[in-house]
């Protein structure tokens, strides 16, 4: 099953502005990125389309913020993404966008912290990791 995307980005709607810039940067680096604004069509229920895209992408990113920590939707996507990572060995990268501790569902998982670290260097590191 191929979605035409390499990476799926899960995030809370409150972080949309940050995610738009982030996705643009990943695309500038040549990655084919999917997220909820791009997935689905007029006849596809969003939930089904998102699930199919998640299952078809080689890697996933969860954007961690106060909003995503409180979002049931992000928690649900996180469960699917982690299961895929554990069962299929697919890449899973949590990225932080605020200076917060990782949300409870990511306890013990290291974050790429875009909230306090060098943005350009982290983009390069992330792109390199996703291309492996």
């Amino acid at each position: 099953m191929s979605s035409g995307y390499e990476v799926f980005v899960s995030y809370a709607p409150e972080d949309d502005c940050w995610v738009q810039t982030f996705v643009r940067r990943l695309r500038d680096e040549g990655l084919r990125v999917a997220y909820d604004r791009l997935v689905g069509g007029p006849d596809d229920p969003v939930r089904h389309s998102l699930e199919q895209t998640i299952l078809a992408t080689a890697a996933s990113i969860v954007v961690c913020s106060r909003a995503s920590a409180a979002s049931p939707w992000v928690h649900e996507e996180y469960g699917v993404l982690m299961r895929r990572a554990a069962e299929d060995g697919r890449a899973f990268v949590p990225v932080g966008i605020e200076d917060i501790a990782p949300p409870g569902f990511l306890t013990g998982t290291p974050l790429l912290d875009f909230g306090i670290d060098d943005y350009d260097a982290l983009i390069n590191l992330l792109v390199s990791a996703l291309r492996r």
Side-chain angles (χ1 to χ4, degrees), residues 58 60 78-93:
S60 55
Y78 165 78
V80 173
L81 299 172
M82 280 304 296
R83 188 172 60 251
R84 280 188 55 248
E87 292 173 359
D88 302 336
R90 296 188 188 191
F92 172 79
V93 182

Side-chain angles (χ1 to χ4, degrees), residues 6-9 54 57-61 81 84 90-93 130:
E6 297 169 287
V7 180
F8 179 81
V9 178
I54 288 169
T57 54
S60 55
I61 296 169
L81 299 172
R84 280 188 55 248
R90 296 188 188 191
F92 172 79
V93 182
L130 292 173

Side-chain angles (χ1 to χ4, degrees), residues 2 8 15 18-19 24 34 41-42 45 50 54 67 71 88 91-92 96 99 108-109 112 114 118-119 122 125 127 130:
S2 174
F8 179 81
D15 300 322
W18 188 91
V19 169
R24 224 177 353 266
L50 284 171
I54 288 169
S71 168
D88 302 336
F92 172 79
D99 189 14
T109 305
L112 280 181
F114 281 84
D118 182 82
Y119 189 88
L122 287 176
L125 178 65
V127 169
L130 292 173

Side-chain angles (χ1 to χ4, degrees), residues 62-97:
V62 172
V63 176
C64 299
S65 67
R66 287 173 188 85
S68 66
S71 168
W73 185 259
V74 172
H75 285 247
E76 187 174 322
E77 288 178 345
Y78 165 78
V80 173
L81 299 172
M82 280 304 296
R83 188 172 60 251
R84 280 188 55 248
E87 292 173 359
D88 302 336
R90 296 188 188 191
F92 172 79
V93 182
V95 300
I97 63 171

Side-chain angles (χ1 to χ4, degrees), residues 6 8 44 48-49 104 116:
E6 297 169 287
F8 179 81
D44 290 332
H48 176 73
S49 296
I116 59 174

Side-chain angles (χ1 to χ4, degrees), residues 9-30:
V9 178
S10 175
Y11 67 101
E14 295 87 346
D15 300 322
D16 185 67
C17 186
W18 188 91
V19 169
Q20 297 302 315
T21 301
F22 178 69
V23 166
R24 224 177 353 266
R25 267 308 292 283
L26 294 177
R27 287 187 182 146
D28 288 347
E29 296 296 326

